[in-house]
Amino acid sequence: MTEKREYTDDYPDKTLYIPGPTEVREDVIQEMAQPMFGHRMDRMTDLYTTIVEDTKEFLGTDNEVIILTASGTEFWEASTLNLVDENILVPTCGSFSERHANVAERLGKDVDRLEYEWGQAIKPEDIREHLESTDKHYDVVATVMNESSTGVRNPIEEIGDVIAEYPDTYFVVDAVSALGGDYVDIDEHNIDVIFASTQKAFAMPPGLAVCVVSDDAYERELDTDSSSWYGGFQRCLDYYDRKGQTHSTPAIPVMLAYRKQMKHMLEEGHEGRDERHREMTEYVHEWATDHFDLFAEEGYRSQTVSCIENTQGIDVAETIEAVSEEHDMVFSNGYGSQLGEQTFRIGHMGEHTVESIRELTDAIEDAADL
């Protein structure tokens, strides 16, 4: 049995460079301290319609947007329940794409995996070959955009172009750790469902999931015998169309914070935010190759999380502890037992800049005596 550990107010502030949650602006945090109001009041309609329509504007999409009190994990489950009658193809290249397949299996779906070695990216031509060679009809192909366990950025645009040739197969993208920090033209590349968690590249406190849904995906759910109750596209979008609100009580304080942060994101712009993240990525990749190596396949590397191969054999856990204690900065070890000491990860997402990332790499050099 886990024993209770009492929470106290005596914790030092640590700057976060992990794959999420990440740093949040002070004015965004302050928004959560507003007096409470009812989730069926006109004020709630003003708040929810603002954040939904601002999100559409930021992402440059004509598709519908759902914002729910949940983690992005909710839409692994909901998209599977809403769109898959029987068969789903899940290319796997790391822990989170594998977990997506596990979720579908848990929901009783027939899951086929297209398996890649960890660190390798999913290739559009492999998906095309699989779809052409099988007699099985897939309701959905589900792909992770940013495999944060390995630092791989999969080419979802090209994958979407392939799946567009199969009009009865829907394309679902887990962009939990990328959307908001890595530009993607959702409407151009046949992405039926793409979802994210706001505590990552959106630089928000945890608590909200954002999902973009195509008209085709919405219509597909209407034809199914069953779907998700909480994350049902029809239920969420029809309620928004009628009331301008969520169907269930949301985390109002976090939505207030989201409204403030989305205004900041609109000011910077989708492409501007993409460029800042690209600059951070280029810096981290150059630093990593100078001192270590990058774990992800060249040409398919994440713009928000770098997975760095521990070629110098440093004690990763000890270095993380030293950087935390001596510099009040937190970065991440490799994901799970498979990569725990073989790699470490730096989250360069949200509100970070090259300058703030350099502070971390300087601290790592100091702690590891590089």
Side-chain angles (χ1 to χ4, degrees):
M1 287 288 291
T2 299
E3 295 183 1
K4 178 182 178 182
R5 292 175 48 171
E6 189 70 29
Y7 186 88
T8 72
D9 294 323
D10 186 24
Y11 302 98
D13 291 334
K14 306 282 186 179
T15 303
L16 300 178
Y17 299 89
I18 57 179
T22 187
E23 291 294 295
V24 182
R25 292 171 181 258
E26 185 61 34
D27 64 343
V28 172
I29 292 173
Q30 289 173 356
E31 287 293 302
M32 295 191 292
Q34 293 188 37
M36 190 49 53
F37 54 90
H39 69 293
R40 295 295 177 238
M41 295 170 63
D42 288 344
R43 183 174 175 182
M44 186 66 220
T45 304
D46 292 347
L47 173 59
Y48 192 63
T49 57
T50 295
I51 63 175
V52 167
E53 299 306 321
D54 280 357
T55 303
K56 289 182 187 179
E57 181 181 348
F58 173 78
L59 294 174
T61 182
D62 290 327
N63 291 344
E64 297 299 329
V65 165
I66 299 169
I67 303 173
L68 286 182
T69 301
S71 72
T73 302
E74 162 62 23
F75 287 108
W76 275 346
E77 185 172 74
S79 61
T80 303
L81 289 171
N82 297 345
L83 300 178
V84 182
D85 282 342
E86 185 175 3
N87 300 316
I88 178 172
L89 176 65
V90 185
T92 60
C93 61
S95 181
F96 293 99
S97 48
E98 177 61 32
R99 196 174 299 178
H100 199 152
N102 292 341
V103 168
E105 287 176 332
R106 179 76 174 176
L107 295 172
K109 308 305 180 182
D110 186 342
V111 180
D112 284 348
R113 290 168 171 80
L114 189 61
E115 295 180 333
Y116 290 83
E117 182 180 347
W118 282 35
Q120 297 297 302
I122 297 164
K123 307 301 190 298
E125 57 270 23
D126 294 341
I127 293 178
R128 181 190 301 279
E129 181 180 350
H130 185 89
L131 294 176
E132 287 178 348
S133 62
T134 184
D135 293 330
K136 186 179 291 187
H137 166 71
Y138 292 105
D139 298 308
V140 163
V141 175
T143 306
V144 64
M145 175 177 175
N146 196 69
E147 182 53 80
S148 59
S149 65
T150 62
V152 164
R153 200 285 197 184
N154 287 307
I156 60 166
E157 294 87 350
E158 292 86 347
I159 294 170
D161 293 344
V162 169
I163 298 168
E165 300 172 19
Y166 298 82
D168 293 328
T169 298
Y170 297 82
F171 186 32
V172 173
V173 176
D174 164 4
V176 163
S177 58
L179 201 64
D182 186 341
Y183 181 88
V184 55
D185 190 329
I186 296 168
D187 299 9
E188 180 67 21
H189 295 287
N190 187 52
I191 300 173
D192 291 294
V193 177
I194 185 169
F195 54 88
S197 294
T198 58
Q199 76 273 15
K200 296 183 183 280
F202 280 68
M204 275 280 299
L208 298 179
V210 175
C211 185
V212 183
V213 181
S214 72
D215 290 342
D216 287 345
Y218 173 87
E219 294 294 334
R220 163 65 176 169
E221 186 195 323
L222 299 184
D223 293 335
T224 61
D225 294 330
S226 63
S227 63
S228 172
W229 192 88
Y230 187 71
F233 302 149
Q234 180 185 12
R235 190 160 185 265
C236 292
L237 294 174
D238 286 4
Y239 202 94
Y240 179 71
D241 190 50
R242 294 196 313 272
K243 301 285 189 179
Q245 298 174 349
T246 57
H247 56 66
S248 301
T249 309
I252 295 171
V254 188
M255 287 189 171
L256 286 165
Y258 185 92
R259 182 197 67 85
K260 186 72 170 180
Q261 176 61 3
M262 186 49 64
K263 296 300 185 186
H264 289 307
M265 292 173 69
L266 283 169
E267 183 176 358
E268 185 175 23
H270 199 175
E271 293 182 353
R273 204 168 176 85
D274 176 80
E275 178 60 29
R276 177 166 56 80
H277 281 75
R278 184 165 305 163
E279 291 170 358
M280 288 190 287
T281 303
E282 289 171 356
Y283 170 76
V284 174
H285 288 183
E286 182 177 346
W287 177 83
T289 52
D290 283 346
H291 295 285
F292 301 95
D293 203 351
L294 288 156
F295 185 74
E297 180 181 359
E298 187 172 359
Y300 299 94
R301 289 169 177 164
S302 168
Q303 193 164 285
T304 55
V305 180
S306 288
C307 185
I308 299 168
E309 190 170 1
N310 183 16
T311 54
Q312 295 211 39
I314 66 170
D315 188 316
V316 171
E318 184 178 282
T319 303
I320 290 171
E321 180 68 18
V323 169
S324 175
E325 293 301 313
E326 297 169 18
H327 300 276
D328 287 328
M329 301 175 185
V330 183
F331 66 106
S332 182
N333 60 348
Y335 195 85
S337 59
Q338 183 169 338
L339 298 178
E341 280 286 327
Q342 297 177 42
T343 64
F344 60 91
R345 295 174 297 155
I346 295 174
H348 35 87
M349 64 172 73
E351 297 306 315
H352 278 301
T353 63
V354 170
E355 289 71 27
S356 68
I357 298 295
R358 185 178 288 114
E359 292 175 5
L360 173 67
T361 56
D362 287 348
I364 294 172
E365 289 179 28
D366 177 62
D369 195 25
L370 298 178

